[in-house]
């Protein structure tokens, strides 16, 4: 089978490609690299001239005066020139509703062309999209990445990217995509709940993790317990990073020389991975029901991860012991959980082992690739 994957977030499509190739399929990945993360691809439509120093000020002026980013237009044009190479595939899968991340009108035309020159078209629900954002705005989750906005509308400036998915302009794109896709696949429970009952919903397929590329070493605690917080400033509010920062400040006061705290900000993926390798505990996000890609990769390394691990998650996987810590938007609760682990280091070691076993069982990249093939072939 020939498969075309469009777009990339958090290495999801890269790992899926590796699993599909392992099964003998021909796979091409086209993406913009996801900004500073610079994920690998076969064909890139990342903007170049609009990111250059020459266009730095004109780009800011356009954005301020017309609410239009010329980088989006450049991505669309670059993708347009790739189209002759992106045809004859049995399946095309979009990473989300704005996989090309260009203007709405251009995105519709480009997806229309992809549809005309290829076979089936599938969509992933793996990040913000119209249905998910509408569900969050209706306050149907007990908490979500939009909780800070719902509690304090002044945070609206933190959400331009997410709130655009319910704009009149984007809803044109949403409607067009859902009229033309064969199905939409959720990648974890944060995306399952909004899609339940939708006629195009094709089920949940967990994120694929290539454990052959992720070394596992049982955690060893010799001296200090190392805690790691990697901050992406763009997602600071949405991931509830302030709760982690406040909790870490309390932990530092409480335990002093018993802990080492590493905090990084907006660094490339490879550097991020290298820095957290020495950590025992990784703080990921608080506004989630399930684990995202960064959390899963850390769990594969055997880290104890503070992330989404709500009841829906534990029930689905029939877990009786913790493989991750359910991080709540509550500083006192985070301090309590961290304190328990620091005072019971053997539990850190055991959770780390269970985390790796869980990833191998439920997220193996080849088995997940097989599940994608089942959905596509239905």
């Amino acid at each position: 089978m020939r498969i075309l994957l469009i777009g990339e977030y958090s290495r999801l499509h890269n790992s899926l490609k590796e699993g599909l190739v392992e099964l003998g399929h021909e796979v091409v990945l086209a993406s913009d690299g996801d900004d500073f993360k610079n994920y690998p691809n076969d064909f890139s439509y990342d903007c170049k001239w609009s990111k250059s120093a020459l266009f730095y000020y004109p780009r800011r002026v356009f954005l301020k005066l017309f609410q239009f980013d010329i980088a989006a237009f450049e991505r669309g044009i670059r993708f347009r020139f790739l189209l002759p190479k992106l045809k004859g595939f049995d399946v095309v899968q979009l990473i989300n509703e704005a996989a090309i991340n260009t203007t709405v009108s251009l995105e519709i035309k480009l997806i229309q062309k992809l549809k005309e020159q290829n076979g089936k078209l599938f969509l992933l629900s793996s990040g913000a999209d119209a249905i998910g954002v509408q569900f969050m705005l209706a306050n149907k989750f007990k908490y979500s990445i939009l909780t800070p906005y719902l509690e304090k509308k002044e945070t609206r400036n933190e959400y331009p990217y997410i709130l655009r998915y319910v704009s009149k302009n984007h809803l044109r794109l949403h409607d067009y995509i859902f009229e033309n896709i064969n199905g939409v696949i959720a990648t974890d429970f944060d995306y399952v709940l909004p899609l339940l009952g939708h006629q195009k919903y094709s089920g949940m397929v967990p994120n694929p993790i290539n454990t052959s590329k992720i070394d596992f070493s049982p955690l060893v605690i010799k001296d200090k317990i190392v805690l790691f917080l990697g901050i992406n400033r763009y997602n600071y509010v949405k991931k509830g990073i302030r709760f982690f920062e406040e909790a870490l400040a309390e932990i530092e006061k409480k335990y002093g020389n018993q802990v080492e705290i590493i905090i990084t900000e907006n660094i490339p993926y490879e550097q991020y991975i290298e820095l957290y390798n020495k950590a025992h505990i990784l703080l990921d996000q608080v506004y989630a029901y399930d684990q995202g890609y960064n959390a899963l990769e850390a769990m594969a390394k055997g880290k104890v991860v503070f992330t989404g691990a709500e009841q829906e998650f534990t029930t689905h996987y029939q877990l009786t012991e913790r493989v991750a810590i359910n991080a709540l938007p509550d500083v006192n609760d985070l301090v309590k959980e961290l304190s328990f682990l620091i005072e019971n280091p053997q539990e850190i070691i055991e959770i780390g082992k269970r985390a790796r076993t869980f990833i191998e069982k439920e997220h193996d990249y080849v088995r997940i690739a097989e599940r994608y093939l089942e959905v596509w072939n239905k």
Side-chain angles (χ1 to χ4, degrees), residues 84-338:
K85 300 175 182 178
L86 306 180
K87 62 182 176 181
F89 291 89
D90 301 296
V91 171
V92 177
Q93 181 165 275
L94 307 174
I95 195 74
N96 87 331
E97 291 179 354
I100 303 168
N101 201 16
T102 184
T103 65
V104 166
S105 296
L106 189 49
E107 188 118 17
I108 288 173
K109 290 178 181 177
L110 295 171
I111 292 173
Q112 181 181 17
K113 190 64 178 176
L114 281 175
K115 177 79 173 172
E116 290 172 358
Q117 62 188 34
N118 294 290
K120 295 180 180 179
L121 179 65
F122 282 85
L123 171 70
L124 284 188
S125 181
S126 62
D129 54 38
I131 292 175
V133 173
Q134 288 167 342
F135 195 88
M136 288 186 276
L137 286 172
N139 217 5
K140 293 184 179 180
F141 287 111
K142 63 182 176 183
Y143 55 75
S144 74
I145 57 173
L146 275 175
T147 294
Y149 171 74
L150 293 172
E151 292 177 344
K152 193 176 181 181
K153 292 294 190 291
E154 294 80 47
T155 63
R156 184 181 184 90
N157 289 338
E158 300 290 336
Y159 291 94
Y161 180 80
I162 291 179
L163 293 176
R164 71 169 179 160
Y165 284 97
V166 291
S167 68
K168 184 177 179 180
N169 195 32
H170 176 82
L171 289 174
R172 284 198 303 123
L173 174 58
H174 165 79
D175 291 341
Y176 175 81
I177 290 175
F178 271 79
E179 286 169 6
N180 286 277
I181 57 173
N182 294 82
V184 55
I185 301 166
T187 58
D188 70 44
F189 281 99
D190 294 281
Y191 312 118
V192 166
L193 300 178
L195 285 168
L196 288 176
H198 196 286
Q199 62 178 354
K200 290 290 181 81
Y201 178 48
S202 298
M204 182 183 82
V205 180
N207 286 298
I209 302 294
N210 187 344
T211 52
S212 69
K213 289 191 171 185
I214 301 176
D215 294 330
F216 168 72
S217 298
L219 295 173
V220 176
I221 301 172
K222 294 180 180 178
D223 183 17
K224 296 181 179 182
I225 293 170
V226 182
L227 299 92
F228 179 88
L229 173 62
I231 299 173
N232 178 345
R233 186 57 59 178
Y234 182 75
N235 289 326
Y236 182 89
V237 172
K238 297 183 279 294
K239 289 203 170 188
I241 300 300
R242 74 171 181 86
F243 294 101
F244 287 139
E245 288 181 321
E246 291 176 29
L248 287 176
E250 292 297 317
I251 290 297
E252 192 167 31
K253 289 179 189 175
K254 190 174 179 181
Y255 295 101
N257 291 331
Q258 290 179 250
V259 298
E260 178 184 349
I261 297 171
I262 300 173
I263 299 177
T264 67
E265 184 169 335
N266 284 17
I267 59 174
Y269 174 78
E270 295 298 335
Q271 189 180 351
Y272 173 88
I273 295 298
E274 184 179 337
L275 284 171
Y276 87 37
N277 276 340
K278 65 181 289 191
H280 300 105
I281 297 171
L282 181 137
L283 307 178
D284 179 49
Q285 62 178 321
V286 303
Y287 294 123
Y289 277 48
D290 201 343
Q291 299 94 58
Y293 217 88
N294 287 343
L296 293 171
E297 288 195 330
M299 290 166 66
K301 284 178 176 283
K303 310 298 183 185
V304 175
V305 184
F306 278 64
T307 185
E310 274 292 342
Q311 187 61 49
E312 288 83 352
F313 159 76
T314 57
T315 299
H316 176 80
Y317 291 108
Q318 299 179 349
L319 297 173
T320 56
E321 295 181 292
R322 297 201 290 184
V323 298
I325 308 300
N326 189 35
L328 301 176
D330 182 325
V331 174
N332 291 333
D333 188 76
L334 294 173
V335 170
K336 177 183 173 184
E337 291 283 10
L338 285 167

